[in-house]
Amino acid sequence: MRAHQPSVTIAGYLLASLFVQYANAKAGALTPTNITLGLISWYCFAPQLTLNGSHVVEGNLNPGLYSKQQISDGGYEVREYIMDLSVQLAVDQMNADPNVLPGIHVNIKRFSDCGSYYPSVADVWGGRTGGYASTIMATDIIDNHPDVIGVVAMQTSSTARYSAEVLSFAQIPICSGTVGSPRLSDKPNYPYFYRTIDGAGIGEHFYQFLKLWNVRRVALIYQMNTDLGYFVFLDMHEAMLRHKMNILGTYGTADPNDKFFMNYVADALKRVSARYIIVIGNAVFSASVMNAVGKRNLTGPGFVYLGINRPKPAKNATLLYGPRYYSYIQGYVQIAGMANFDTQIFADAKTQLSALTGYPMRSIDVDSNNIPHFIDCTKSMLHGFDNLLRKTGQSAETLAERKLNSMMNYTLFQNPGIEGVMANPLVFNNNGDIKLSDAACYFIGSAFDCHLFGSTDRDASRVTYQPGEYPVFNGGSSIPPPDGPPAPVQLILSVDSIFGGVIFALVVVGLVFAFALLSIIYSFRRKSCMKPVAGLEAVASLGGCIIIYSSLLIYLPVSDTLTCKLRHSLFLLGLLFILTSLLFRNLLLFMIFCKTRGVKPQTLVFRVRIIHGIVALIGIATITVWAAQPNNLSVKSVYHLDQFYLSCIYKNSASFNVMASYVFIAYLCLLPMIAILQRVKWEDFNESVLLGFSFVMIAVAYSIITFETRLRNMYYDVTFCLCVWTATTLFLILMFGTRVMQLAEHFNEQAMNRSRISKLKTRLAEKKESFFQRPSASNTDFRRQQGGDCSTIKLAGVKKNPYRHKVLCNTVDACVYQVSTSQNSWSLWRAGQPELHHMSAKSWLSLNSNLKTACFTLSESTQFVAYENMVMIVCDGIAETRICDSTNTQSTSTSMHQSTPSTHRKNLKRKKVMGSSICYRIRMEFENGGKALAFVKEVQTEISDIGVMKGII
């Protein structure tokens, strides 16, 4: 294959390179010197390539070779292709950079360490072709390609141990991004080998995670027939012993599919109650082990598997192992050197490789295909060449002719002085291994998605979790399971348990309280103090509280998918009812009190309730859509000491986000509603305090629940129930309980008023008796009687006076009133402006409106009684008869005791019958009790001012 030229798909770097060459030519520079970088890979998996020995001479590995589906399925041929593109990208970037190797152009030659393609390669190749790599490939590079001055290799550890030793002997530097065997950290045998992947000391990184999880007992399963598996096992074993870990067993095998051996391993693990098992081997070996232990019921919430590689087979996992395989690897923790996904250089590499492959790569795809490792290998080697030329002052031709290779051992590349994709700065230790913090991710059980949650530092001395991240083990728990017996006991919130009994009792109390409030509201809905909470919106709020109380009962059974959905759905439904009812109820009050257009109240109520219904239905629809989805939640086991509890985990999905956002927006709308309610002046209808309390209460409850969630406490559900019950009960007390207290005070006040009215009637009867016993009417005018918080005005006989008139407007401009002329019936409520009139011997009270003026005569028996926010005006019929019969009270009184003509006697008899009953009653309602009392005092004052009835004040 001809020397590599810059890829036509990387147009930017090509144009930059051409620009540099053109600029040099214009300046009179010589033609750039060519050096060649060797690229070793598994080219035996590429049928489109033609080899001459181990050298690839023809074929296409340009971008777009594989489809998106092929890249998604993976395989050795895809990894070899992506690795090749990574090196091409790095070389093109270096060629385009005028500050690195100026006047030198880097070419690529490809070499296969497993020969040419053959149809059965995927079945028989096991990554152990060290004989071919050391005798044919390494010799081919050394003898037949003298222009190759350095090598970047994607090899297995079992193959690299041979080729790296031969190339080191020939003083050709070799960098690998896949070789993980600690054997190659031995610099006397491999002085020209270095790597961008973990080597010796990986066991220390594993120990730090086990230490954090309070684990002291582990078992090891390793791949005994590969360099990677065996030497990492030795490193791991040494680290565990150094920290006095209890190693329950070590099980080495070449074939995890050996049923007899895996049965033995399964029995041994069960016998020693092993809970933490470390799997050491390549990706195919790890996948075989996980499938074997999963089929033998050694996976689940009580087991934690850790490994250095992803448990991913070379073929489709579902076709190879069945659909249950992904449940086996759920919670599997991979600990390895990983790039920092949050850096700009990593994001750039992901973007560029996604463009080259045509596959939208995720961060985990970039790392699992070792793309950062090979980019850093290529750049560190070329920067090392550049540093060598600058340090020695030698020519590019000397470098191209291998005359400087004696100075190219691993120390040349230990600190290339660059920012790497894997680490910043990119440096290597004295073993030629990259200095890197090992990251840990857990497999979520969906394909091979691995979620990053923490990492060690470069010295393997401590573990740091990423903000807001925790490991999630098999079963969904974030609390590490115990490393051995005794087996945890399941905690169930049944009625018989302490916590379950408390929750059940609280829910019963809450429901009884809610239904009692509902019955009181319905029974006394016509009382003035209960009218603000007797509307449809207030009842909907009460219904929301009942739904929330009911949702707490569902925490008593054992958690499963159905109960988890019911808990969450009913809670959000009740909360939605409360929030929307509060908002639209207060919006309606605001519009009624502050309306500027002539809209009928009935029309306004209808419109607001229609909008309220639409908003509520949208919220119910979002909850229904979320609940209908099958995979939107799971049940996890939360462990604490020797107990565990099944808890619900709600996955972050689009429907969940929409539902939560909708409820959150309704919650935030409480703030502007509090602001606009400041325009509602009547305290009885202004509920800004209730809305403010609700806003703060929900925020406090949410904060407590969120804090418990972060602690991953097994009593999270108990805390949740207590917080929700407390908040709901406080809301009921504030919104409805205060109204019930006012109702009780109202009945108490009524009882006191009945007692006072009874005494007043007694006094009135005594006055009537004395009236009929004396020959003429008394000149005693009005007398004032007061008792407790009630004020009574009595109007006695009146004198003849000219017409006098007074408008009672100091307390109110107009008041609402009802009139009764019989014992049990009352008129409709009306509004009128109160005025006092006096002419001759008559006095009367008028209530004026645009449509009607109502007049009510006043007599000595007329009483003004103020109680609560009401004023009762009662006029007795006897005195009324006297005023209506004659303008001379004394002659009328007198004639009632003397003989009279028959016609007059008939009229007098009729008037006496009329006077034996109540003539009229007026009930006036004011905003509060203070204004009612002020109105009575104003009547007293005005009567005194106009002087219509002297002596009565």
Side-chain angles (χ1 to χ4, degrees):
M1 184 176 181
R2 59 186 176 87
H4 168 74
Q5 297 297 328
S7 172
V8 294
T9 60
I10 314 176
Y13 297 113
L14 176 59
L15 291 174
S17 178
L18 291 175
F19 176 81
V20 170
Q21 296 179 32
Y22 175 78
N24 289 337
K26 293 288 288 183
L30 297 176
T31 303
T33 301
N34 288 299
I35 64 172
T36 303
L37 198 64
L39 182 54
I40 299 174
S41 188
W42 308 316
Y43 292 118
C44 56
F45 283 89
Q48 73 273 20
L49 301 181
T50 302
L51 277 64
N52 180 13
S54 65
H55 179 217
V56 178
V57 294
E58 289 184 11
N60 176 23
L61 280 174
N62 290 334
L65 180 61
Y66 291 100
S67 66
K68 292 182 180 181
Q69 186 59 47
Q70 289 173 313
I71 295 176
S72 177
D73 292 339
Y76 288 116
E77 67 277 8
V78 172
R79 292 197 65 188
E80 160 260 313
Y81 163 69
I82 294 177
M83 172 266 188
D84 196 287
L85 290 180
S86 304
V87 176
Q88 287 184 53
L89 176 64
V91 169
D92 286 340
Q93 290 177 348
M94 293 297 97
N95 281 332
D97 189 346
N99 298 315
V100 180
L101 297 173
I104 297 175
H105 183 80
V106 182
N107 297 317
I108 293 176
K109 282 187 176 180
R110 296 171 174 82
F111 300 89
S112 173
D113 71 349
C114 54
S116 300
Y117 171 80
Y118 51 99
S120 60
V121 62
D123 298 321
V124 302
W125 181 80
R128 293 179 293 276
T129 55
Y132 178 90
S134 60
T135 58
I136 297 177
M137 183 199 70
T139 303
D140 196 7
I141 294 172
I142 296 168
D143 296 338
N144 300 326
H145 299 276
D147 55 329
V148 176
I149 61 172
V151 172
V152 175
M154 183 168 75
Q155 294 180 286
T156 64
S157 296
S158 298
T159 302
R161 59 175 288 197
Y162 299 105
S163 57
E165 187 172 6
V166 174
L167 291 172
S168 291
F169 183 78
Q171 297 181 331
I172 297 177
I174 176 173
C175 179
S176 178
T178 54
V179 176
S181 172
R183 180 204 285 267
L184 281 87
S185 296
D186 182 8
K187 290 301 103 178
N189 290 330
Y190 306 96
Y192 282 75
F193 175 83
Y194 73 100
R195 53 187 162 188
T196 55
I197 197 170
D198 280 323
I202 191 172
E204 286 294 329
H205 294 276
F206 273 73
Y207 168 72
Q208 291 302 324
F209 282 95
L210 296 174
K211 176 184 175 182
L212 179 65
W213 298 336
N214 296 318
V215 176
R216 302 299 305 171
R217 305 166 74 250
V218 295
L220 308 176
I221 301 176
Y222 65 95
Q223 190 176 10
M224 61 184 301
N225 63 332
T226 63
D227 239 48
L228 175 69
Y230 182 69
F231 281 91
V232 172
F233 159 70
L234 294 179
D235 185 282
M236 194 80 66
H237 192 269
E238 180 183 355
M240 298 301 134
L241 291 178
R242 185 164 53 249
H243 294 287
K244 297 181 172 53
M245 296 284 286
N246 183 6
I247 300 177
L248 303 176
T250 59
Y251 311 97
T253 179
D255 183 13
N257 296 317
D258 185 342
K259 294 183 179 180
F260 294 102
F261 178 79
M262 288 310 299
N263 286 337
Y264 158 73
V265 172
D267 291 339
L269 294 176
K270 292 177 181 178
R271 187 166 53 252
V272 298
S273 297
R275 295 292 183 267
Y276 286 79
I277 300 100
I278 301 176
V279 181
I280 305 168
N282 59 33
V284 176
F285 175 85
S286 302
S288 299
V289 169
M290 293 307 299
N291 181 61
V293 296
K295 288 184 175 180
R296 289 165 177 80
N297 296 321
L298 284 174
T299 59
F303 297 90
V304 177
Y305 286 86
L306 304 93
I308 61 173
N309 263 310
R310 306 170 76 197
K312 183 177 182 179
K315 299 180 181 179
N316 186 289
T318 304
L319 297 178
L320 188 62
Y321 297 134
R324 293 192 61 190
Y325 175 72
Y326 294 115
S327 65
Y328 299 156
I329 66 172
Q330 182 189 5
Y332 178 98
V333 178
Q334 181 187 359
I335 302 174
M338 297 184 187
N340 186 349
F341 296 172
D342 298 326
T343 62
Q344 185 60 45
I345 192 171
F346 182 91
D348 292 341
K350 180 173 70 172
T351 302
Q352 292 158 1
L353 264 297
S354 296
L356 289 174
T357 60
Y359 179 77
M361 288 192 171
R362 300 166 299 172
S363 296
I364 195 67
D365 296 327
V366 173
D367 190 83
S368 62
N369 282 287
N370 298 81
I371 291 171
H373 304 74
F374 287 106
I375 291 177
D376 284 353
C377 257
T378 305
K379 289 187 176 182
S380 63
M381 184 169 288
L382 295 180
H383 274 276
F385 295 160
D386 183 67
N387 293 337
L388 180 61
L389 289 179
R390 296 178 187 275
K391 180 179 179 181
T392 62
Q394 297 292 326
S395 65
E397 290 76 11
T398 306
L399 176 66
E401 294 170 2
R402 288 189 187 173
K403 293 180 180 180
L404 300 179
N405 275 44
S406 60
M407 294 181 283
M408 292 184 183
N409 64 14
Y410 77 97
T411 60
L412 175 64
F413 313 101
Q414 269 191 292
N415 190 0
I418 62 172
E419 176 187 358
V421 184
M422 292 295 297
N424 183 24
L426 182 63
V427 292
F428 300 85
N429 60 24
N430 292 329
N431 295 324
D433 302 331
I434 187 173
K435 285 187 177 181
L436 187 66
S437 58
D438 276 20
C441 65
Y442 63 87
F443 284 77
I444 63 177
S446 174
F448 293 99
D449 293 337
C450 199
H451 191 78
L452 201 64
F453 66 88
S455 62
T456 59
D457 57 358
R458 291 191 174 193
D459 299 325
S461 60
R462 71 176 187 276
V463 172
T464 303
Y465 283 160
Q466 292 190 353
E469 297 292 347
Y470 298 91
V472 178
F473 303 102
N474 195 308
S477 173
S478 293
I479 299 177
D483 59 1
V489 178
Q490 183 177 1
L491 174 67
I492 301 175
L493 293 179
S494 64
V495 180
D496 299 330
S497 65
I498 296 176
F499 292 113
V502 170
I503 293 174
F504 180 79
L506 290 176
V507 171
V508 171
V509 170
L511 288 174
V512 170
F513 180 51
F515 280 108
L517 289 176
L518 185 62
S519 62
I520 292 173
I521 291 171
Y522 179 78
S523 301
F524 302 99
R525 61 189 182 277
R526 300 189 183 278
K527 295 291 183 182
S528 59
C529 60
M530 300 302 291
K531 285 180 181 179
V533 294
L536 180 62
E537 290 77 12
V539 175
S541 298
L542 186 57
C545 295
I546 294 174
I547 293 175
I548 290 178
Y549 281 135
S550 302
S551 71
L552 300 183
L553 288 176
I554 308 176
Y555 282 85
L556 299 181
V558 178
S559 299
D560 56 25
T561 303
L562 179 60
T563 56
C564 287
K565 288 185 177 182
L566 286 175
R567 293 172 187 173
H568 202 69
S569 300
L570 289 178
F571 169 73
L572 284 181
L573 183 62
L575 182 60
L576 183 68
F577 274 25
I578 293 174
L579 292 176
T580 56
S581 298
L582 280 176
L583 292 172
F584 285 95
R585 178 167 170 267
N586 286 278
L587 177 63
L588 178 60
L589 290 174
F590 169 77
M591 296 177 70
I592 289 176
F593 282 90
C594 304
K595 64 177 182 176
T596 58
R597 295 185 302 169
V599 181
K600 293 182 179 180
Q602 296 86 346
T603 304
L604 197 60
V605 170
F606 177 79
R607 291 176 181 177
V608 172
R609 286 180 175 175
I610 287 295
I611 300 174
H612 181 192
I614 294 173
V615 172
L617 286 176
I618 294 174
I620 294 172
T622 60
I623 296 173
T624 304
V625 170
W626 173 82
Q629 294 183 352
N631 299 319
N632 53 12
L633 54 83
S634 60
V635 180
K636 72 173 183 179
S637 298
V638 182
Y639 288 86
H640 179 70
L641 300 178
D642 58 345
Q643 291 183 318
F644 75 97
Y645 173 73
L646 295 179
S647 183
C648 303
I649 298 179
Y650 301 102
K651 298 181 180 178
N652 194 7
S653 61
S655 59
F656 181 86
N657 292 335
V658 171
M659 174 182 63
S661 299
Y662 195 86
V663 177
F664 183 69
I665 291 172
Y667 166 71
L668 290 181
C669 287
L670 292 177
L671 292 177
M673 185 57 64
I674 293 173
I676 67 174
L677 280 180
Q678 303 310 309
R679 297 182 61 184
V680 178
K681 301 303 181 182
W682 280 27
E683 296 178 359
D684 286 351
F685 293 93
N686 191 325
E687 295 184 346
S688 57
V689 175
L690 173 63
L691 266 64
F693 175 82
S694 302
F695 186 90
V696 174
M697 182 175 58
I698 293 174
V700 171
Y702 179 80
S703 300
I704 296 173
I705 294 169
T706 303
F707 179 76
E708 284 291 313
T709 304
R710 290 181 177 177
L711 289 180
R712 303 288 179 176
N713 195 297
M714 71 178 298
Y715 299 111
Y716 164 78
D717 286 344
V718 177
T719 305
F720 178 86
C721 291
L722 293 177
C723 289
V724 170
W725 185 90
T726 303
T728 306
T729 305
L730 289 176
F731 173 80
L732 285 177
I733 292 174
L734 187 63
M735 182 171 182
F736 301 99
T738 54
R739 299 292 180 176
V740 174
M741 294 175 62
Q742 292 178 8
L743 181 65
E745 292 175 359
H746 170 74
F747 284 127
N748 183 46
E749 187 70 24
Q750 275 190 336
M752 296 177 63
N753 286 334
R754 280 195 293 269
S755 175
R756 292 171 183 153
I757 292 174
S758 176
K759 293 179 181 179
L760 289 173
K761 287 182 177 180
T762 301
R763 294 176 185 176
L764 181 61
E766 293 174 351
K767 189 172 183 63
K768 292 177 184 177
E769 185 70 21
S770 64
F771 172 82
F772 286 107
Q773 290 176 357
R774 62 191 175 193
S776 61
S778 174
N779 291 329
T780 303
D781 296 319
F782 297 107
R783 288 178 296 178
R784 181 182 179 193
Q785 298 178 2
Q786 295 183 346
D789 58 351
C790 301
S791 296
T792 304
I793 298 174
K794 282 194 171 185
L795 297 161
V798 296
K799 298 180 179 180
K800 294 183 179 179
N801 290 300
Y803 175 77
R804 295 180 183 179
H805 167 242
K806 189 69 176 181
V807 179
L808 304 176
C809 59
N810 293 335
T811 304
V812 291
D813 293 331
C815 60
V816 292
Y817 67 97
Q818 283 181 305
V819 179
S820 174
T821 56
S822 63
Q823 292 291 339
N824 299 316
S825 65
W826 289 88
S827 68
L828 296 176
W829 285 98
R830 300 169 183 166
Q833 183 183 51
E835 298 179 5
L836 275 177
H837 306 264
H838 176 75
M839 184 174 180
S840 299
K842 294 183 180 181
S843 298
W844 67 94
L845 173 73
S846 69
L847 294 166
N848 303 326
S849 66
N850 293 332
L851 301 178
K852 183 176 181 179
T853 298
C855 296
F856 306 93
T857 58
L858 304 176
S859 68
E860 65 175 334
S861 62
T862 303
Q863 305 169 43
F864 290 75
V865 182
Y867 63 98
E868 291 189 346
N869 63 331
M870 307 287 288
V871 171
M872 182 71 78
I873 304 175
V874 180
C875 180
D876 185 77
I878 296 176
E880 173 69 17
T881 303
R882 294 178 61 214
I883 294 176
C884 294
D885 251 6
S886 172
T887 58
N888 190 334
T889 56
Q890 183 169 352
S891 62
T892 305
S893 174
T894 303
S895 66
M896 295 172 65
H897 298 275
Q898 299 174 354
S899 61
T900 58
S902 59
T903 304
H904 187 71
R905 284 197 299 269
K906 290 180 182 179
N907 293 335
L908 183 61
K909 182 178 180 181
R910 185 178 67 252
K911 292 171 184 175
K912 284 185 178 181
V913 172
M914 182 182 67
S916 64
S917 61
I918 299 297
C919 185
Y920 67 82
R921 290 175 294 172
I922 305 174
R923 180 163 57 191
M924 296 182 176
E925 183 174 356
F926 295 83
E927 186 175 343
N928 50 53
K931 289 193 175 183
L933 196 58
F935 177 79
V936 173
K937 292 180 179 179
E938 182 182 2
V939 172
Q940 296 174 352
T941 303
E942 298 301 340
I943 290 177
S944 175
D945 288 346
I946 65 177
V948 296
M949 302 172 188
K950 294 182 179 179
I952 66 172
I953 303 298

